[in-house]
PDB file of all heavy atoms in Angstrom:
ATOM      1  N   ILE Y 148      11.223-151.579 -78.413  1.00 96.00           N
ATOM      2  CA  ILE Y 148      11.526-152.850 -77.535  1.00 96.00           C
ATOM      3  C   ILE Y 148      11.938-153.961 -78.592  1.00 96.00           C
ATOM      4  O   ILE Y 148      11.637-153.959 -79.663  1.00 96.00           O
ATOM      5  CB  ILE Y 148      10.278-153.262 -76.799  1.00 96.00           C
ATOM      6  CG1 ILE Y 148       8.993-153.494 -77.738  1.00 96.00           C
ATOM      7  CG2 ILE Y 148       9.967-152.312 -75.699  1.00 96.00           C
ATOM      8  CD1 ILE Y 148       7.798-154.184 -77.119  1.00 96.00           C
ATOM      9  N   ASP Y 149      12.389-154.984 -78.009  1.00 96.00           N
ATOM     10  CA  ASP Y 149      12.797-156.185 -78.829  1.00 96.00           C
ATOM     11  C   ASP Y 149      11.695-157.251 -78.731  1.00 96.00           C
ATOM     12  O   ASP Y 149      11.426-157.723 -77.604  1.00 96.00           O
ATOM     13  CB  ASP Y 149      14.161-156.820 -78.236  1.00 96.00           C
ATOM     14  CG  ASP Y 149      14.586-158.018 -79.106  1.00 96.00           C
ATOM     15  OD1 ASP Y 149      13.742-158.426 -79.948  1.00 96.00           O
ATOM     16  OD2 ASP Y 149      15.753-158.567 -78.921  1.00 96.00           O
ATOM     17  N   PRO Y 150      10.946-157.395 -79.849  1.00 95.00           N
ATOM     18  CA  PRO Y 150       9.806-158.267 -79.813  1.00 95.00           C
ATOM     19  C   PRO Y 150      10.239-159.748 -79.460  1.00 95.00           C
ATOM     20  O   PRO Y 150       9.410-160.597 -79.118  1.00 95.00           O
ATOM     21  CB  PRO Y 150       9.085-158.142 -81.080  1.00 95.00           C
ATOM     22  CG  PRO Y 150      10.140-157.715 -82.024  1.00 95.00           C
ATOM     23  CD  PRO Y 150      11.258-156.843 -81.175  1.00 95.00           C
ATOM     24  N   ALA Y 151      11.498-160.055 -79.741  1.00 94.00           N
ATOM     25  CA  ALA Y 151      11.883-161.471 -79.338  1.00 94.00           C
ATOM     26  C   ALA Y 151      12.346-161.686 -77.995  1.00 94.00           C
ATOM     27  O   ALA Y 151      12.520-162.931 -77.611  1.00 94.00           O
ATOM     28  CB  ALA Y 151      13.083-161.700 -80.321  1.00 94.00           C
ATOM     29  N   ASP Y 152      12.491-160.627 -77.227  1.00 96.00           N
ATOM     30  CA  ASP Y 152      12.948-160.835 -75.815  1.00 96.00           C
ATOM     31  C   ASP Y 152      11.688-160.253 -74.967  1.00 96.00           C
ATOM     32  O   ASP Y 152      11.766-159.120 -74.662  1.00 96.00           O
ATOM     33  CB  ASP Y 152      14.141-160.080 -75.452  1.00 96.00           C
ATOM     34  CG  ASP Y 152      14.762-160.443 -74.164  1.00 96.00           C
ATOM     35  OD1 ASP Y 152      14.027-160.838 -73.289  1.00 96.00           O
ATOM     36  OD2 ASP Y 152      15.822-160.242 -73.874  1.00 96.00           O
ATOM     37  N   GLU Y 153      10.680-161.017 -74.767  1.00 95.00           N
ATOM     38  CA  GLU Y 153       9.427-160.575 -74.122  1.00 95.00           C
ATOM     39  C   GLU Y 153       9.686-160.167 -72.745  1.00 95.00           C
ATOM     40  O   GLU Y 153       9.124-159.192 -72.208  1.00 95.00           O
ATOM     41  CB  GLU Y 153       8.385-161.556 -74.284  1.00 95.00           C
ATOM     42  CG  GLU Y 153       7.933-161.819 -75.610  1.00 95.00           C
ATOM     43  CD  GLU Y 153       7.287-163.153 -76.075  1.00 95.00           C
ATOM     44  OE1 GLU Y 153       7.082-163.983 -75.199  1.00 95.00           O
ATOM     45  OE2 GLU Y 153       6.892-163.243 -77.167  1.00 95.00           O
ATOM     46  N   ALA Y 154      10.570-160.786 -71.896  1.00 95.00           N
ATOM     47  CA  ALA Y 154      10.827-160.500 -70.405  1.00 95.00           C
ATOM     48  C   ALA Y 154      11.522-159.024 -70.549  1.00 95.00           C
ATOM     49  O   ALA Y 154      11.024-158.185 -69.761  1.00 95.00           O
ATOM     50  CB  ALA Y 154      11.671-161.533 -69.822  1.00 95.00           C
ATOM     51  N   ALA Y 155      12.468-158.836 -71.395  1.00 96.00           N
ATOM     52  CA  ALA Y 155      13.175-157.645 -71.414  1.00 96.00           C
ATOM     53  C   ALA Y 155      12.286-156.520 -71.907  1.00 96.00           C
ATOM     54  O   ALA Y 155      12.341-155.370 -71.340  1.00 96.00           O
ATOM     55  CB  ALA Y 155      14.434-157.642 -72.258  1.00 96.00           C
ATOM     56  N   ALA Y 156      11.464-156.721 -72.704  1.00 97.00           N
ATOM     57  CA  ALA Y 156      10.458-155.828 -73.420  1.00 97.00           C
ATOM     58  C   ALA Y 156       9.622-155.309 -72.062  1.00 97.00           C
ATOM     59  O   ALA Y 156       9.248-154.156 -72.010  1.00 97.00           O
ATOM     60  CB  ALA Y 156       9.656-156.370 -74.469  1.00 97.00           C
ATOM     61  N   ALA Y 157       9.043-156.317 -71.413  1.00 96.00           N
ATOM     62  CA  ALA Y 157       8.103-155.908 -70.325  1.00 96.00           C
ATOM     63  C   ALA Y 157       8.832-155.123 -69.174  1.00 96.00           C
ATOM     64  O   ALA Y 157       8.246-154.171 -68.728  1.00 96.00           O
ATOM     65  CB  ALA Y 157       7.519-157.301 -69.635  1.00 96.00           C
ATOM     66  N   ALA Y 158      10.099-155.366 -68.902  1.00 95.00           N
ATOM     67  CA  ALA Y 158      10.857-154.691 -67.925  1.00 95.00           C
ATOM     68  C   ALA Y 158      11.157-153.279 -68.497  1.00 95.00           C
ATOM     69  O   ALA Y 158      11.026-152.381 -67.635  1.00 95.00           O
ATOM     70  CB  ALA Y 158      12.228-155.451 -67.652  1.00 95.00           C
ATOM     71  N   GLN Y 159      11.472-153.165 -69.814  1.00 95.00           N
ATOM     72  CA  GLN Y 159      11.626-151.761 -70.240  1.00 95.00           C
ATOM     73  C   GLN Y 159      10.268-150.970 -70.372  1.00 95.00           C
ATOM     74  O   GLN Y 159      10.460-149.837 -69.850  1.00 95.00           O
ATOM     75  CB  GLN Y 159      12.060-151.961 -71.829  1.00 95.00           C
ATOM     76  CG  GLN Y 159      12.631-150.750 -72.390  1.00 95.00           C
ATOM     77  CD  GLN Y 159      13.155-151.050 -73.806  1.00 95.00           C
ATOM     78  OE1 GLN Y 159      13.274-152.147 -74.282  1.00 95.00           O
ATOM     79  NE2 GLN Y 159      13.464-149.953 -74.593  1.00 95.00           N
ATOM     80  N   ILE Y 160       9.230-151.590 -70.647  1.00 95.00           N
ATOM     81  CA  ILE Y 160       8.044-150.959 -70.574  1.00 95.00           C
ATOM     82  C   ILE Y 160       7.710-150.405 -69.134  1.00 95.00           C
ATOM     83  O   ILE Y 160       7.343-149.299 -68.792  1.00 95.00           O
ATOM     84  CB  ILE Y 160       6.803-151.837 -71.163  1.00 95.00           C
ATOM     85  CG1 ILE Y 160       7.052-151.954 -72.688  1.00 95.00           C
ATOM     86  CG2 ILE Y 160       5.466-150.997 -70.874  1.00 95.00           C
ATOM     87  CD1 ILE Y 160       6.150-153.076 -73.176  1.00 95.00           C
ATOM     88  N   ALA Y 161       7.815-151.377 -68.147  1.00 94.00           N
ATOM     89  CA  ALA Y 161       7.699-150.941 -66.845  1.00 94.00           C
ATOM     90  C   ALA Y 161       8.467-149.805 -66.307  1.00 94.00           C
ATOM     91  O   ALA Y 161       8.027-148.958 -65.737  1.00 94.00           O
ATOM     92  CB  ALA Y 161       7.755-152.180 -65.805  1.00 94.00           C
ATOM     93  N   ALA Y 162       9.618-149.855 -66.741  1.00 93.00           N
ATOM     94  CA  ALA Y 162      10.629-148.694 -66.334  1.00 93.00           C
ATOM     95  C   ALA Y 162      10.255-147.364 -66.978  1.00 93.00           C
ATOM     96  O   ALA Y 162      10.565-146.373 -66.434  1.00 93.00           O
ATOM     97  CB  ALA Y 162      12.113-149.162 -66.750  1.00 93.00           C
ATOM     98  N   ASN Y 163       9.625-147.415 -68.087  1.00 92.00           N
ATOM     99  CA  ASN Y 163       9.369-146.176 -68.847  1.00 92.00           C
ATOM    100  C   ASN Y 163       7.864-145.717 -68.835  1.00 92.00           C
ATOM    101  O   ASN Y 163       7.572-144.810 -69.356  1.00 92.00           O
ATOM    102  CB  ASN Y 163       9.616-146.412 -70.341  1.00 92.00           C
ATOM    103  CG  ASN Y 163      11.174-146.497 -70.661  1.00 92.00           C
ATOM    104  OD1 ASN Y 163      11.725-145.317 -70.601  1.00 92.00           O
ATOM    105  ND2 ASN Y 163      11.899-147.453 -70.645  1.00 92.00           N
ATOM    106  N   LEU Y 164       7.011-146.547 -68.138  1.00 90.00           N
ATOM    107  CA  LEU Y 164       5.677-146.039 -67.853  1.00 90.00           C
ATOM    108  C   LEU Y 164       5.481-144.651 -67.444  1.00 90.00           C
ATOM    109  O   LEU Y 164       4.644-143.954 -68.069  1.00 90.00           O
ATOM    110  CB  LEU Y 164       4.868-147.062 -67.012  1.00 90.00           C
ATOM    111  CG  LEU Y 164       4.420-148.298 -67.457  1.00 90.00           C
ATOM    112  CD1 LEU Y 164       3.801-149.118 -66.430  1.00 90.00           C
ATOM    113  CD2 LEU Y 164       3.483-148.217 -68.645  1.00 90.00           C
ATOM    114  N   PRO Y 165       6.172-144.148 -66.486  1.00 87.00           N
ATOM    115  CA  PRO Y 165       6.078-142.776 -66.017  1.00 87.00           C
ATOM    116  C   PRO Y 165       6.291-141.812 -67.158  1.00 87.00           C
ATOM    117  O   PRO Y 165       5.809-140.717 -67.062  1.00 87.00           O
ATOM    118  CB  PRO Y 165       6.981-142.637 -64.876  1.00 87.00           C
ATOM    119  CG  PRO Y 165       7.393-144.030 -64.379  1.00 87.00           C
ATOM    120  CD  PRO Y 165       7.239-144.871 -65.649  1.00 87.00           C
ATOM    121  N   GLY Y 166       7.206-142.009 -68.057  1.00 85.00           N
ATOM    122  CA  GLY Y 166       7.589-141.181 -69.172  1.00 85.00           C
ATOM    123  C   GLY Y 166       6.604-141.148 -70.341  1.00 85.00           C
ATOM    124  O   GLY Y 166       6.810-140.231 -71.271  1.00 85.00           O
ATOM    125  N   LEU Y 167       5.689-142.040 -70.286  1.00 85.00           N
ATOM    126  CA  LEU Y 167       4.808-142.173 -71.604  1.00 85.00           C
ATOM    127  C   LEU Y 167       3.937-140.893 -71.866  1.00 85.00           C
ATOM    128  O   LEU Y 167       3.921-140.654 -73.077  1.00 85.00           O
ATOM    129  CB  LEU Y 167       3.935-143.398 -71.488  1.00 85.00           C
ATOM    130  CG  LEU Y 167       4.664-144.779 -71.563  1.00 85.00           C
ATOM    131  CD1 LEU Y 167       3.542-145.883 -71.438  1.00 85.00           C
ATOM    132  CD2 LEU Y 167       5.219-144.926 -72.999  1.00 85.00           C
ATOM    133  N   PRO Y 168       3.498-140.249 -70.798  1.00 80.00           N
ATOM    134  CA  PRO Y 168       2.840-139.039 -71.215  1.00 80.00           C
ATOM    135  C   PRO Y 168       3.678-137.977 -71.942  1.00 80.00           C
ATOM    136  O   PRO Y 168       3.067-137.119 -72.702  1.00 80.00           O
ATOM    137  CB  PRO Y 168       2.354-138.451 -69.851  1.00 80.00           C
ATOM    138  CG  PRO Y 168       2.250-139.815 -69.070  1.00 80.00           C
ATOM    139  CD  PRO Y 168       3.384-140.629 -69.396  1.00 80.00           C
ATOM    140  N   LEU Y 169       5.024-137.931 -71.723  1.00 80.00           N
ATOM    141  CA  LEU Y 169       5.763-137.101 -72.452  1.00 80.00           C
ATOM    142  C   LEU Y 169       5.867-137.494 -73.876  1.00 80.00           C
ATOM    143  O   LEU Y 169       5.904-136.501 -74.795  1.00 80.00           O
ATOM    144  CB  LEU Y 169       7.242-137.062 -71.924  1.00 80.00           C
ATOM    145  CG  LEU Y 169       7.407-136.655 -70.372  1.00 80.00           C
ATOM    146  CD1 LEU Y 169       8.811-136.933 -69.872  1.00 80.00           C
ATOM    147  CD2 LEU Y 169       7.032-135.163 -70.273  1.00 80.00           C
ATOM    148  N   LEU Y 170       5.701-138.779 -74.130  1.00 78.00           N
ATOM    149  CA  LEU Y 170       5.772-139.057 -75.699  1.00 78.00           C
ATOM    150  C   LEU Y 170       4.504-138.640 -76.392  1.00 78.00           C
ATOM    151  O   LEU Y 170       4.459-138.433 -77.533  1.00 78.00           O
ATOM    152  CB  LEU Y 170       5.886-140.630 -75.707  1.00 78.00           C
ATOM    153  CG  LEU Y 170       7.256-141.313 -75.334  1.00 78.00           C
ATOM    154  CD1 LEU Y 170       7.187-142.828 -75.493  1.00 78.00           C
ATOM    155  CD2 LEU Y 170       8.390-140.697 -76.240  1.00 78.00           C
ATOM    156  N   ARG Y 171       3.447-138.493 -75.618  1.00 76.00           N
ATOM    157  CA  ARG Y 171       2.149-137.954 -76.209  1.00 76.00           C
ATOM    158  C   ARG Y 171       2.471-136.649 -76.822  1.00 76.00           C
ATOM    159  O   ARG Y 171       1.824-136.315 -77.971  1.00 76.00           O
ATOM    160  CB  ARG Y 171       1.037-137.885 -75.014  1.00 76.00           C
ATOM    161  CG  ARG Y 171      -0.257-137.420 -75.502  1.00 76.00           C
ATOM    162  CD  ARG Y 171      -1.263-137.579 -74.325  1.00 76.00           C
ATOM    163  NE  ARG Y 171      -1.348-138.873 -73.767  1.00 76.00           N
ATOM    164  CZ  ARG Y 171      -2.217-139.735 -74.206  1.00 76.00           C
ATOM    165  NH1 ARG Y 171      -3.115-139.490 -75.221  1.00 76.00           N
ATOM    166  NH2 ARG Y 171      -2.344-140.997 -73.651  1.00 76.00           N
ATOM    167  N   GLU Y 172       3.124-135.734 -76.034  1.00 76.00           N
ATOM    168  CA  GLU Y 172       3.440-134.388 -76.569  1.00 76.00           C
ATOM    169  C   GLU Y 172       4.242-134.470 -77.844  1.00 76.00           C
ATOM    170  O   GLU Y 172       4.066-133.808 -78.797  1.00 76.00           O
ATOM    171  CB  GLU Y 172       4.131-133.506 -75.531  1.00 76.00           C
ATOM    172  CG  GLU Y 172       3.230-133.365 -74.243  1.00 76.00           C
ATOM    173  CD  GLU Y 172       1.808-132.772 -74.534  1.00 76.00           C
ATOM    174  OE1 GLU Y 172       1.821-131.826 -75.381  1.00 76.00           O
ATOM    175  OE2 GLU Y 172       0.889-133.394 -74.101  1.00 76.00           O
ATOM    176  N   VAL Y 173       5.332-135.358 -77.815  1.00 74.00           N
ATOM    177  CA  VAL Y 173       6.128-135.495 -78.991  1.00 74.00           C
ATOM    178  C   VAL Y 173       5.360-135.984 -80.155  1.00 74.00           C
ATOM    179  O   VAL Y 173       5.518-135.472 -81.367  1.00 74.00           O
ATOM    180  CB  VAL Y 173       7.296-136.508 -78.714  1.00 74.00           C
ATOM    181  CG1 VAL Y 173       8.221-136.635 -79.963  1.00 74.00           C
ATOM    182  CG2 VAL Y 173       8.138-135.980 -77.562  1.00 74.00           C
ATOM    183  N   ALA Y 174       4.536-136.991 -79.936  1.00 70.00           N
ATOM    184  CA  ALA Y 174       3.724-137.477 -81.079  1.00 70.00           C
ATOM    185  C   ALA Y 174       2.784-136.443 -81.697  1.00 70.00           C
ATOM    186  O   ALA Y 174       2.762-136.329 -82.920  1.00 70.00           O
ATOM    187  CB  ALA Y 174       2.839-138.693 -80.615  1.00 70.00           C
ATOM    188  N   LEU Y 175       2.134-135.693 -80.869  1.00 72.00           N
ATOM    189  CA  LEU Y 175       1.218-134.636 -81.378  1.00 72.00           C
ATOM    190  C   LEU Y 175       1.958-133.544 -82.170  1.00 72.00           C
ATOM    191  O   LEU Y 175       1.610-133.164 -83.160  1.00 72.00           O
ATOM    192  CB  LEU Y 175       0.420-133.996 -80.225  1.00 72.00           C
ATOM    193  CG  LEU Y 175      -0.750-134.855 -79.754  1.00 72.00           C
ATOM    194  CD1 LEU Y 175      -1.373-134.242 -78.413  1.00 72.00           C
ATOM    195  CD2 LEU Y 175      -1.819-135.012 -80.825  1.00 72.00           C
ATOM    196  N   HIS Y 176       3.145-133.154 -81.604  1.00 74.00           N
ATOM    197  CA  HIS Y 176       3.997-132.209 -82.288  1.00 74.00           C
ATOM    198  C   HIS Y 176       4.537-132.712 -83.632  1.00 74.00           C
ATOM    199  O   HIS Y 176       4.491-131.970 -84.644  1.00 74.00           O
ATOM    200  CB  HIS Y 176       5.241-131.888 -81.410  1.00 74.00           C
ATOM    201  CG  HIS Y 176       6.191-130.937 -81.960  1.00 74.00           C
ATOM    202  ND1 HIS Y 176       5.797-129.556 -82.164  1.00 74.00           N
ATOM    203  CD2 HIS Y 176       7.359-130.995 -82.513  1.00 74.00           C
ATOM    204  CE1 HIS Y 176       6.805-128.911 -82.652  1.00 74.00           C
ATOM    205  NE2 HIS Y 176       7.839-129.801 -82.934  1.00 74.00           N
ATOM    206  N   MET Y 177       4.997-134.052 -83.729  1.00 71.00           N
ATOM    207  CA  MET Y 177       5.366-134.692 -84.894  1.00 71.00           C
ATOM    208  C   MET Y 177       4.234-134.553 -85.976  1.00 71.00           C
ATOM    209  O   MET Y 177       4.513-134.342 -87.213  1.00 71.00           O
ATOM    210  CB  MET Y 177       5.824-136.038 -84.767  1.00 71.00           C
ATOM    211  CG  MET Y 177       7.229-136.166 -84.327  1.00 71.00           C
ATOM    212  SD  MET Y 177       7.684-137.854 -84.010  1.00 71.00           S
ATOM    213  CE  MET Y 177       7.417-138.515 -85.733  1.00 71.00           C
ATOM    214  N   VAL Y 178       3.027-134.925 -85.560  1.00 67.00           N
ATOM    215  CA  VAL Y 178       1.863-134.948 -86.498  1.00 67.00           C
ATOM    216  C   VAL Y 178       1.532-133.529 -86.918  1.00 67.00           C
ATOM    217  O   VAL Y 178       1.487-133.361 -88.200  1.00 67.00           O
ATOM    218  CB  VAL Y 178       0.649-135.541 -85.711  1.00 67.00           C
ATOM    219  CG1 VAL Y 178      -0.569-135.282 -86.473  1.00 67.00           C
ATOM    220  CG2 VAL Y 178       0.891-137.115 -85.586  1.00 67.00           C
TER     221      VAL Y 178
END
Side-chain angles (χ1 to χ4, degrees):
I148 57 170
D149 180 355
D152 188 342
E153 293 160 356
Q159 193 182 346
I160 295 166
N163 284 281
L164 280 179
L167 287 176
L169 298 173
L170 289 180
R171 185 176 297 275
E172 298 308 312
V173 177
L175 283 171
H176 180 70
M177 278 179 59
V178 167

